[in-house]
Each structure stands twice: as C-alpha cells, then as structure tokens.
Amino acid sequence: MKIVKTVNEVREIVGEWRKHGLSVGFVPTMGYLHEGHESLIKSAVTQNDKVVVSVFVNPMQFGENEDFNSYPRDIERDSEICEKAGVDFIFNPEVSEIYGKHFSSFVNMNTLPDGLCGKSRPIHFKGVCTVVSKLFNIVCPDRAYFGQKDAQQLAIIKRMVSDLNFDIEIIGCPIIRESDGLAKSSRNTYLNAEERKAAVVLSRSLGVGRELIENGENDAKKIISAIRNEIEKEKLAKIDYIEIVDMNMLQPVNEIKESVLVAMAVYIGKTRLIDNFIFNQIE
Ligand code: PAF
C-alpha cells in the first residue's frame, strides 16, 4: 500500500486517474482505523473506481487540554487495513505539509458549530472545516464518506459543501457498533476494562429515549430526562450534554414533530464519548 506524504504527489496520481475518466472516492480519517472506518472505505470502494484514505491527526481541531498528543496512531496497521480493503493509496502528510509556516486562512461557520459538541469544544469545527476543505482541494474527489456517529460533523460538512460550492457528493454512513452496542471509536482504546463495561450506558440510554419516542412521547424534556436518569445509574459516567435537535440547523426542539437528532456526549472516566440516533417521523 502506497503511503503518499506530499500534496504534489497526490495531485499527480489523482490527475492521471482523471485523465482516464476514473471516479474518485475519499475517506478522510485521523487514522487508528476501526470497523467504522472500514465500513466507510467499503462503501467508497463499491461506489468509485479509485479510493484515497487520508490519515492525518489534525492539530487544529484539538483544544488546548484535549488529546492531540496521546491520540492513538499506527500507520502500519492502518496501511494493512486499507490494502485489504482495496484502497489505492493513503495520504499521510506531516503537519508542516498541511499547515505551512505562515498559514492564516480558516474556514469557519455560524450557528451549526455552536451547540452539541461545539459547546465544550469551541474551536473544534473551525479546525475540521479548515482541514476538510484543504483535503477536498488536494484530493478533488467525486464523493467523500463520513460516519453518522459524528452527526454534527456530518451536518456541518454537508452545509459547508453546499455553501462553498464544492463539487463533491457527501455520503453519510451508519454507526457501526460493538456487540454490546458501544459505538466504535478510536477513543474506545482509552477505556480500561471497568470503563469499557460502563461505556455501554451511552447506547443503552439512547435505547430508552428511542423507545419512549416510538411509544408516542413527544416532549423533548421528558425524553432527555429519561435518558439522563439512565446515564446517572452508571457511576463512572459524567454527562457533557444530551440534546434533541432538528436535522437542518441542529437547534434544540421542545416537541418532536419532525425528524430529529438525539445526541449525547458522556465522559466515562476521562474519556469523552459521543453517540446518537436519528428519529425519522416517517420511519
Ligand atoms: O472525523 C474525523 O476523523 C476528523 O474530524 C476528520 C473528518 C478526518 C477531519 O480531521
């Protein structure tokens, strides 16, 4: 599996593909790939002639006290996974290749990044939008694949692509879970055995919320309160947020009248985990 380090080389390879009229799928990642990423890659391989995966732990999307330095990295393992999955190459640049010495242009957005994860991670989505725009301009894919687990990120990227006229189709892929329901995440590796058991409280409490909605409860406060009660049964869990928001602008709703995103971030010990589900009124 070829690991490409420079923007110029990516452009050369993709340029050759373009000359032959080949379509390009792109899966941006921060590496330490798991089955969630593999499912994105699988969709990309099925839907495109060529597939590029980027592995870049983007410093710009981490706050000062976040886990940029300790974020898990294993490019050899990532490379094996990509090779098996039929990826054409990995783009794995150094930070200096992406952010030159005088770097000073950013992509920012109003409103959508303010709530949910943006509340406790105020600079996060500016970093995500900036790096994803750059990666889109470098790889120039036809389609790009993102997981529904980062629901706010997916909504923001779709908005950005539409607002800034990127000619790229954004494909959202379902959350992949462990057998006990925990959403797959590179950060799950931070959990010790006791925390790993406790972490199932995220999906379990979302299940409580879903059941209430399916049984006709439409008062968002009551649903959030039931989810909160379930999480509070777990002593290692500390809630960052639980919110029910509309699917377009991610604004909190009082009543469930249309499709909504039910999303949460919960600390298990020191590890911040996220999970969500979408309730479609037409389901
Ligand atoms: O979802 C991620 O892994 C990252 O936020 C992304 C999209 C690769 C940008 O760094």
Side-chain angles (χ1 to χ4, degrees), residues 28-30 58 61 128 131-132 146 150 153:
T29 81
M30 298 207 298
N58 173 34
Q61 68 189 71
V128 170
V131 80
V132 171
F146 293 84
D150 294 292
Q153 170 171 282

Side-chain angles (χ1 to χ4, degrees), residues 124-171:
H124 177 67
F125 290 110
K126 180 180 171 189
V128 170
C129 288
T130 302
V131 80
V132 171
S133 303
K134 284 174 67 69
L135 291 167
F136 282 176
N137 283 329
I138 295 165
V139 178
C140 298
D142 297 283
R143 297 179 194 85
Y145 297 78
F146 293 84
Q148 181 60 45
K149 183 170 79 70
D150 294 292
Q152 186 176 18
Q153 170 171 282
L154 178 57
I156 286 173
I157 300 292
K158 282 185 175 163
R159 179 82 266 138
M160 180 184 85
V161 161
S162 163
D163 288 353
L164 301 184
N165 304 97
F166 281 102
D167 190 12
I168 298 172
E169 188 184 351
I170 301 301
I171 313 233

Side-chain angles (χ1 to χ4, degrees), residues 70-108:
S70 56
Y71 196 85
R73 292 158 167 93
D74 189 344
I75 190 68
E76 274 174 31
R77 191 175 145 272
D78 290 345
S79 168
E80 279 165 25
I81 291 174
C82 286
E83 173 128 50
K84 268 195 205 132
V87 171
D88 291 274
F89 71 82
I90 292 180
F91 178 41
N92 176 224
E94 296 300 327
V95 172
S96 56
E97 179 73 7
I98 295 296
Y99 301 116
K101 203 166 161 206
H102 301 297
F103 187 85
S104 40
S105 306
F106 302 90
V107 180
N108 214 347

Side-chain angles (χ1 to χ4, degrees), residues 17-54:
W17 293 344
R18 290 274 172 227
K19 277 188 206 154
H20 293 91
L22 300 173
S23 64
V24 181
F26 177 45
V27 184
T29 81
M30 298 207 298
Y32 216 74
L33 305 179
H34 51 69
E35 286 93 331
H37 298 112
E38 283 177 60
S39 84
L40 305 182
I41 294 171
K42 201 170 166 191
S43 302
V45 169
T46 314
Q47 296 170 8
N48 301 276
D49 299 316
K50 297 285 182 185
V51 172
V52 180
V53 170
S54 64

Side-chain angles (χ1 to χ4, degrees), residues 17 46 80-81 133 166 216 224 227 230 246 253 260 275 278:
W17 293 344
T46 314
E80 279 165 25
I81 291 174
S133 303
F166 281 102
I224 290 173
I227 294 174
E230 188 64 27
D246 73 85
V253 299
V260 288
D275 202 350
I278 292 170

